[in-house]
Amino acid sequence: MKYSTNDIAWLKESLFKVLDNQKVFQTPSKWISNNVVIPAKNSARAGKFDFNTTPYFKEIVDCFNPADPTTLVALEKSTQVGYSQFVITLIMYYMINVPCPIIYSTGKEKTLHTFFEQYLMACISSSGFRSIIRSDSANKRKSGDTKNLKEFAGGRLIGKVLSTASDQGQDPCRFLVLDEVDKGATGTNQGAVAEVALERNKTWIGKKTLIGGSPELAYNSFVSKYYLLGDRSRWNVPCPKCGEFHELTFKNIKITTVEGRQDRSQTYRICPVNGCIYKPEDKRNMNKQGKWIPTAKPKVQGYRSFHVDENMSNLSNDYEIVDKWLKNKDTEDGRKYFNQEVLGRAYKDKAVYLADNWFYKNLGTETTQYKTGQVIDDVMFKTAGADVQQDRIYLEIVGWGEQERSYSLEWKTFMGDTRNPKEGAWALLREYLKNYTYKNTPIDFVAIDSGYNTDAVYNFCISCNQDKYFRANLVP
């Protein structure tokens, strides 16, 4: 009897699952708590690893249990949240409990070398597992313990820098870590390089992927892109007064003004549910009872996403957050720093986008006068961009000619609620796009900003693209 390629693939996957299910894996959080020792030279909190310091990482780390259905975790984060120790302990768990090929890719070469030698190897040694690293591989000409390679029984850990696509090589892996992607290759190239890196474990059965780091600019942040594809879980804690669960956000911090000046020593928080006032010192006890609450349905099965910033961190207090805000709030660079490094959010300033875009830099030298509604022979291709607000949708239709010449053909505003993609402003937009023509041809491509009412945007695009009478292609 001959078997098809699909039959053989199914048999291999089924066998793998049966064998994998026979293994009794300690959950990552339990193993880490029992076995990892943080070295004194790397942390002020040296000693046995304790999730009470970073309780928000416990559920995230358990997503990497081989028995958990999660295949990819996207983690938007700020500084001072314990992220480096989270990644180190997770890699150690796989090296010792689930030995397999592992790739750790990061945005900067300096970060790669520091991570391997000063942090990872130091933690492995202090935890008593230094002997698992092979000093030499079977090939005597190549060491199994270099600055970018750590070999161990059953697998190896390879370090890479996310600079160019060609640097990602052909090494397959089961566990892939893409760390600080947004700090790697610049511009739109960073996403292309990271996408190539993702190919390394694409076909691996039982694969796990971590995409983590501080997001940079909103228009091309790779971390934020995958965060939006997941369930967008948010950390919620109970109010010490009323017990209602809520997020710890910067908006909840209040600074008292004394004699016309904001006094950081008078900082306090307000419960957004019932208006209760509580102290910054209450955060540690609140975090002990915290929990992750998904805010969206994943766009891809097996994807989960989380946001961690200084507001929820036990490693940073509210007085420090206020200090950073007061020092940085008055300058563009300062606000950008605060947004990215303290709040862990992609920066959305349009001025930054325009300054980095050559087309907009040179736009003023290439302008041409024409009347609204005028038919322009040069137009060969038409696109539309839509911006979604709470009670309206703005739409601009642009015609494109040779040498990237563009013409603003229409500007429309559709009033109405935008929560339901089948009603209100959405219904008006759908009807307009469906019937619009220019020179007897429809719009070729429509892009809709999904930063607001994200689910409605995605559902609207899917619905229109499935309509055989709808001639434009829509993307969120």
Side-chain angles (χ1 to χ4, degrees):
M1 179 182 293
K2 292 185 177 181
Y3 294 95
S4 67
T5 303
N6 289 337
D7 290 334
I8 295 172
W10 174 84
L11 183 61
K12 287 172 64 178
E13 182 172 356
S14 299
L15 181 60
F16 178 89
K17 288 181 178 179
V18 170
L19 293 175
D20 217 28
N21 288 337
Q22 299 304 311
K23 302 176 185 176
V24 179
F25 292 106
Q26 244 187 337
T27 61
S29 61
K30 186 174 182 180
W31 182 87
I32 291 169
S33 296
N34 292 337
N35 294 279
V36 174
V37 177
I38 306 301
K41 68 176 183 178
N42 289 344
S43 174
R45 298 165 297 282
K48 202 166 185 179
F49 189 92
D50 186 2
F51 275 106
N52 284 325
T53 302
T54 54
Y56 36 82
F57 277 131
K58 188 173 184 179
E59 181 175 334
I60 302 176
V61 82
D62 281 336
C63 289
F64 292 89
N65 186 339
D68 191 278
T70 304
T71 59
L72 181 147
V73 169
L75 177 60
E76 279 188 340
K77 62 91 180 176
S78 70
T79 57
Q80 290 191 264
V81 294
Y83 172 76
S84 294
Q85 292 295 346
F86 157 73
V87 176
I88 289 168
T89 56
L90 191 53
I91 290 177
M92 286 177 59
Y93 171 81
Y94 264 79
M95 293 173 71
I96 297 161
N97 295 275
V98 197
C100 61
I102 304 169
I103 291 179
Y104 171 84
S105 293
T106 187
K108 295 183 178 180
E109 186 172 2
K110 183 178 179 181
T111 303
L112 175 64
H113 298 157
T114 301
F115 177 84
F116 263 64
E117 299 304 325
Q118 295 185 22
Y119 294 101
L120 177 63
M121 291 310 300
C123 195
I124 288 176
S125 297
S126 65
S127 302
F129 296 109
R130 183 66 179 83
S131 60
I132 71 167
I133 305 299
R134 294 175 176 174
S135 59
D136 294 291
S137 65
N139 182 349
K140 297 299 182 180
R141 294 174 301 173
K142 185 172 63 176
S143 172
D145 184 7
T146 69
K147 63 181 181 180
N148 293 342
L149 173 68
K150 305 296 176 185
E151 292 189 337
F152 47 91
R156 62 181 179 175
L157 170 63
I158 300 175
K160 294 179 179 292
V161 179
L162 288 164
S163 54
T164 64
S166 60
D167 291 338
Q168 304 315 304
Q170 300 298 319
D171 305 290
C173 67
R174 179 179 180 178
F175 180 32
L176 173 65
V177 179
L178 300 182
D179 186 15
E180 296 295 0
V181 181
D182 288 5
K183 298 184 185 302
T186 57
T188 56
N189 189 43
Q190 67 186 8
V193 173
E195 291 290 356
V196 171
L198 279 176
E199 295 292 319
R200 300 284 71 81
N201 73 344
K202 187 175 182 179
T203 59
W204 198 288
I205 299 171
K207 66 181 178 182
K208 296 284 186 178
T209 301
L210 169 65
I211 299 174
S214 301
E216 293 284 312
L217 297 178
Y219 72 89
N220 71 343
S221 171
F222 190 80
V223 176
S224 294
K225 171 186 173 181
Y226 276 85
Y227 172 80
L228 292 174
L229 291 176
D231 60 0
R232 287 172 259 168
S233 291
R234 311 294 292 196
W235 184 250
N236 281 248
V237 295
C239 170
K241 301 290 182 64
C242 68
E244 293 289 342
F245 277 81
H246 62 280
E247 289 184 54
L248 292 172
T249 66
F250 184 60
K251 290 181 179 179
N252 299 341
I253 296 180
K254 303 301 177 184
I255 312 169
T256 301
T257 299
V258 179
E259 296 181 355
R261 298 182 62 184
Q262 291 180 309
D263 184 359
R264 56 92 75 182
S265 66
Q266 302 297 317
T267 299
Y268 60 93
R269 281 189 179 268
I270 292 183
C271 167
V273 181
N274 290 314
C276 311
I277 295 177
Y278 56 88
K279 299 177 181 179
E281 291 79 9
D282 293 326
K283 179 167 64 173
R284 181 172 289 272
N285 286 329
M286 295 164 68
N287 271 332
K288 290 180 180 179
Q289 305 173 64
K291 60 183 179 181
W292 286 104
I293 298 179
T295 63
K297 183 178 179 180
K299 300 295 183 293
V300 181
Q301 186 176 359
Y303 281 22
R304 293 206 64 188
S305 55
F306 304 86
H307 178 92
V308 179
D309 64 44
E310 287 194 34
N311 282 287
M312 66 184 70
S313 174
N314 288 335
L315 308 179
S316 175
N317 63 59
D318 292 348
Y319 303 111
E320 293 173 341
I321 295 175
V322 170
D323 276 344
K324 291 175 182 178
W325 169 246
L326 294 177
K327 290 176 182 178
N328 292 285
K329 66 183 180 69
D330 295 325
T331 67
E332 183 73 21
D333 288 342
R335 291 190 294 271
K336 180 181 178 182
Y337 160 81
F338 185 82
N339 202 71
Q340 294 173 338
E341 304 299 327
V342 179
L343 303 184
R345 298 190 309 210
Y347 197 57
K348 296 182 179 180
D349 194 318
K350 294 181 180 179
V352 176
Y353 172 77
L354 298 178
D356 287 344
N357 190 302
W358 181 92
F359 179 77
Y360 283 99
K361 276 185 178 179
N362 295 275
L363 186 61
T365 64
E366 300 290 334
T367 57
T368 300
Q369 297 295 323
Y370 59 92
K371 295 180 180 180
T372 302
Q374 176 183 341
V375 176
I376 302 167
D377 293 334
D378 186 34
V379 171
M380 298 180 293
F381 188 81
K382 296 170 293 300
T383 63
D387 181 61
V388 182
Q389 304 293 325
Q390 182 178 5
D391 60 349
R392 70 194 68 194
I393 298 174
Y394 296 113
L395 178 78
E396 182 181 20
I397 300 174
V398 177
W400 297 88
E402 294 182 351
Q403 299 180 342
E404 296 186 354
R405 186 176 294 275
S406 65
Y407 304 87
S408 182
L409 304 178
E410 295 283 352
W411 173 271
K412 294 287 183 180
T413 302
F414 303 95
M415 302 300 297
D417 189 82
T418 59
R419 288 174 295 181
N420 188 332
K422 296 181 180 180
E423 300 176 355
W426 291 112
L428 297 175
L429 175 62
R430 183 189 185 100
E431 189 65 21
Y432 181 81
L433 293 175
K434 198 170 184 178
N435 296 301
Y436 178 86
T437 61
Y438 186 84
K439 296 170 62 177
N440 297 318
T441 58
I443 299 170
D444 298 282
F445 188 84
V446 180
I448 304 177
D449 186 352
S450 59
Y452 184 79
N453 275 347
T454 304
D455 289 339
V457 173
Y458 274 86
N459 290 331
F460 178 79
C461 292
I462 292 171
S463 174
C464 290
N465 289 333
Q466 291 175 344
D467 186 344
K468 64 180 181 180
Y469 298 108
F470 206 91
R471 294 177 288 179
N473 292 311
L474 277 75
V475 295

